[in-house]
Amino acid sequence: MMIVERECQKDRISELFSEEGPLSRVVSGYKYRKDQVRLAEEFWEAMNSGEVLLAEAPTGTGKTLSLLVPSLLFAQQGGKVVYVTSTRNLQNQMMDHHIPRLMQVFDAGVKCGAIKGKNNYACYRKVMHELKDADSSVSTEIGLWFDRTTYGELDEIASYVPIEWSFKFAISQEDCLGTRCPFRSECFFLKLIKKAQSWDIVVTNYHFFLSHLIGSKGKFVVPVDVLIFDEAHRVAEIARNVSAIKVGFLNIQRPINMLLKEVVPFLYKEGFKEADILVKSGNNFLKLGKELFVNFEKNLKPGQVLSGALKSELFLKLKGEYDVISGELQRVVNDEKLDGADESFFSLAVLETFEGLRKSYEQLSWCTSFCNYPNWAYWWDGMHLVSAPVYASEVLKENVEALSPHSLIAVSATLALGGDFSYWQQETGITADRTLVVDSPFELEKQMEIWVVETNKKVTDFGYEKTISRIVEHFCDENGGRTLVLLSSLNLLKSVGEYMKSKTKQYNVYVQGDTQLSKLVTSFREDLTSVLIGSVTFREGFDVPGEGLTQVIIDRIPFDHPEDPIMKTLKALSGREYFRSFVLPKAKLTLKQAAGRLIRTEEDKGRLVILDGRVLSRIDWKIYESLPKVPYKKITLA
């Protein structure tokens, strides 16, 4: 793009964001913010110059509009933007509120759409299979919806169909046949992807984006000129999660059950000689698989990190039966008797069995070989063998480079420590051309204060949980409720929750786990003097502006548990650098996210209480880098 044209569009950005400009007429409660305009201009510059820009934009800066306005301008000039955010709810906000309002001030022609995770869409094959013999009123409703739906979004039937039916119909990674599915031409999801090729801006979420990017080795379902990572502090964690491999006995049992209950009866009926062999090998495979996992359960502890090969004579026998079953199924698939029956449910059962068995065997083989230890962690979680990359950076770097977007913008309210983005770059493998830190628009030194309580107790000390419970009670009483309590462990959550609910108070106490999360959040928001006791779930993406939340209590600096399999493997891999290079910066950023729950608007006021004296006593940890520059008060318990 010519420099003159780029400058003209920069002027257009200033005009849009001006005090009485177009945005003020379509965005409810719009206020001119100098830093919001600055962000939008910097994003616009990065989009056109082909840069990797990392930006930290605290709560209240209006980063969503700062990202969307230059994205729409870029799309108007023919560019393709993929906007990745962390949750489906945020996708819905973008598509239902932000983008429609902005489109009122932009010329027509920009097409936008959302792609959610596959499990939000119905599998055509599964619905057909369920409806062929069904006769209930629910199935009648589903049949009517099935005939009129365009992309099979399961949200469309959520109001009148039991949730278990939605789970039953959803596309799943385990049994999706992909391009081998006989119904691929009718596939709802593939129709959506085809439609998305015409969109200029695609809004998606990390789980879907990274699953596809990593699974397809650097490819995505639509072209990408500008890649935006919103809530970018979650990129590395989700990349690790989607790369993880997990296998349990049920993964083995599912395809074998289909083999014995659906495939074999048909083979007997049609006179296939392979039927007897498949029955014998299928039962043997099931027996050996069960024995294998019973042995794991007996000999391994939940959370135990594994580094020595688990493959035994039992596994070799399992492999032998797998080879027999695979070979016989391949002969069935190639048999001329099946010609012309591509759409039969039998053919589908064969394909599903074949693919399910192959996937589960490959997962089992990977999780018992340890060939990538210690770059990958391997452990037993009590029911499954699990494996995940220790460094998400290798996976991300390789695949983002293969995707090769013209520019990449990563934004979050918690991306840097003291203005330094090194930890995020280390975790993701993505190197910035430029970085930008925007100050909070709030007068935090006037709106909040931080109290640090030295409890004189370690987490492992006798009476620790009772001490924390009493301190929480004291501060909640003093504040008249209106408190979010964030605890590091489920055991502590249970103890503090039970203690607080056993007391008669002037305020209500809500505890995570007592009811559905959505009901819990609604109750806390509507009950302005209440206390909500929760865990990591509430550290981010939870907003209660106003009088309903004037105090946040955090039990300790949120270090990862030292027995976590990833952490243990990381320690073996990194040695002395383990704590200061990985554990400490991660804890500081997590603390920063939690502290951000308190002040959400210019009117909010309150205090952050941290029950961990190390915040101030361990000067070398520089915990202050992760917290607002506000007045501190230290309290030491006798």
Side-chain angles (χ1 to χ4, degrees), residues 75-266:
Q76 280 185 325
Q77 295 166 356
K80 298 286 188 179
V81 179
V82 171
Y83 190 118
V84 192
T85 191
S86 58
T87 66
R88 188 176 67 174
N89 286 340
L90 288 174
Q91 281 183 270
N92 290 339
Q93 285 179 30
M94 298 273 287
M95 296 307 303
D96 296 341
H97 301 290
H98 299 305
I99 290 177
R101 288 172 182 171
L102 288 177
M103 293 300 284
Q104 295 176 44
V105 300
F106 278 83
D107 297 332
V110 177
K111 296 179 181 178
C112 306
I115 302 176
K116 301 172 185 175
K118 279 188 174 184
N119 62 347
N120 291 283
Y121 304 91
C123 170
Y124 192 96
R125 170 174 57 85
K126 288 181 179 178
V127 179
M128 286 286 288
H129 184 73
E130 288 295 329
L131 292 181
K132 68 184 176 76
D133 298 319
D135 57 2
S136 69
S137 59
V138 173
S139 63
T140 301
E141 290 282 351
I142 291 170
L144 293 171
W145 165 77
F146 189 61
D147 290 336
R148 67 175 181 266
T149 186
T150 304
Y151 301 121
E153 283 199 61
L154 292 170
D155 281 348
E156 296 169 357
I157 57 173
S159 62
Y160 57 86
V161 170
I163 192 168
E164 59 267 20
W165 283 66
S166 292
F167 288 135
K168 190 186 293 186
F169 293 149
I171 299 172
S172 70
Q173 195 67 34
E174 289 77 20
D175 53 24
C176 179
L177 299 176
T179 56
R180 297 182 65 183
C181 181
F183 291 114
R184 58 189 174 276
S185 60
E186 287 85 17
C187 176
F188 293 125
F189 190 73
L190 290 181
K191 285 181 181 179
L192 177 70
I193 298 304
K194 185 176 180 181
K195 177 68 175 177
Q197 306 309 308
S198 66
W199 297 342
D200 304 298
I201 298 177
V202 172
V203 180
T204 189
N205 60 71
Y206 283 118
H207 281 279
F208 175 70
F209 176 79
L210 292 172
S211 292
H212 197 283
L213 182 76
I214 294 167
S216 301
K217 301 194 181 302
K219 296 178 182 177
F220 191 52
V221 295
V222 295
V224 185
D225 295 321
V226 172
L227 177 60
I228 295 173
F229 285 157
D230 193 8
E231 304 296 330
H233 60 277
R234 299 206 61 199
V235 175
E237 172 201 353
I238 297 175
R240 183 180 290 113
N241 290 344
V242 301
S243 300
I245 297 168
K246 186 175 183 178
V247 61
F249 176 65
L250 288 179
N251 298 93
I252 291 172
Q253 188 181 43
R254 192 179 298 115
I256 296 298
N257 281 348
M258 181 165 283
L259 172 73
L260 298 176
K261 292 178 181 179
E262 297 192 34
V263 175
V264 166
F266 180 88

Side-chain angles (χ1 to χ4, degrees), residues 12 15 63 200 272 343 415 428 443 523:
R12 170 76 169 141
E15 176 204 345
K63 66 180 172 64
D200 304 298
F272 279 81
E343 293 186 7
L415 215 59
T428 62
E443 294 184 280
S523 297

